[in-house]
Amino acid sequence: MTYYLDEIRAGQSESTEHTVTERDVQLFGEATGDMNPIHFDEAAARRSIFRGRVAHGALSIGFISALLGTKIPGEGSIFLSASIAFKTPVRIGDTVVTKATVREVVGREAVMDCVCTVQGRLVLESEARVLVPRRPGAKPPDTADPTASKATSA
């Protein structure tokens, strides 16, 4: 599904869910180089404030990116920026529900309120700004009609 610029409106929302696996954590650590023991070493993680292993916080940001790029606005959108607040950790085996809601549309940008929850518990909240795709073949509103006559001064 893709919401194009001419159809995206405040209040629209979409969601996804993903159960975090050992493989997710391993692949994320390898891809980013974040091999922090809090994600991989149970004994070390038990001595932390989390009292056990946790998934990378940025993995949840990835769930937001995937939702924005595939569902709302969807294909062709560009994730421009985000402010993120982590609330509680995500653990291996947790099912993360990610929801994005359009707060407002300003020009070509959608301001999105995004949250990730586990069993109704808030784990991350974010404001994201996304460049919304135009419908294929749609002219940008600032494109002049080349066939229109132009007034000239004498």
Side-chain angles (χ1 to χ4, degrees):
M1 173 89 196
T2 296
Y3 292 84
Y4 293 107
L5 187 59
D6 64 333
E7 61 191 2
I8 197 160
R9 302 285 181 268
Q12 292 171 321
S13 67
E14 294 285 345
S15 64
T16 60
E17 65 178 58
H18 179 86
T19 301
V20 176
T21 66
E22 179 72 41
R23 184 171 185 268
D24 293 331
V25 172
Q26 186 66 41
L27 289 173
F28 191 89
E30 289 174 11
T32 63
D34 183 353
M35 303 303 285
N36 185 329
I38 198 130
H39 308 301
F40 297 99
D41 182 339
E42 184 62 37
R46 282 196 186 283
R47 294 188 300 271
S48 77
I49 61 170
F50 300 121
R51 307 237 191 272
R53 289 176 60 202
V54 297
H56 301 80
L59 183 60
S60 293
I61 299 167
F63 298 150
I64 292 171
S65 178
L67 178 59
L68 299 175
T70 62
K71 287 193 163 191
I72 189 164
E75 292 182 17
S77 63
I78 307 294
F79 193 168
L80 298 172
S81 67
S83 62
I84 298 148
F86 297 102
K87 301 298 185 176
T88 57
V90 172
R91 299 183 186 280
I92 295 168
D94 283 350
T95 298
V96 178
V97 176
T98 304
K99 182 176 181 180
T101 303
V102 179
R103 181 191 316 154
E104 65 179 327
V105 179
V106 180
R108 285 205 52 206
E109 288 185 24
V111 180
M112 311 290 294
D113 291 317
C114 305
V115 296
C116 294
T117 60
V118 171
Q119 295 182 338
R121 183 184 82 238
L122 183 65
V123 297
L124 178 154
E125 61 186 352
S126 173
E127 175 190 281
R129 292 185 173 271
V130 183
L131 189 65
V132 180
R134 288 189 179 101
R135 187 173 300 284
K139 276 192 214 175
D142 56 339
T143 301
D145 181 353
T147 62
S149 62
K150 296 182 180 180
T152 59
S153 60

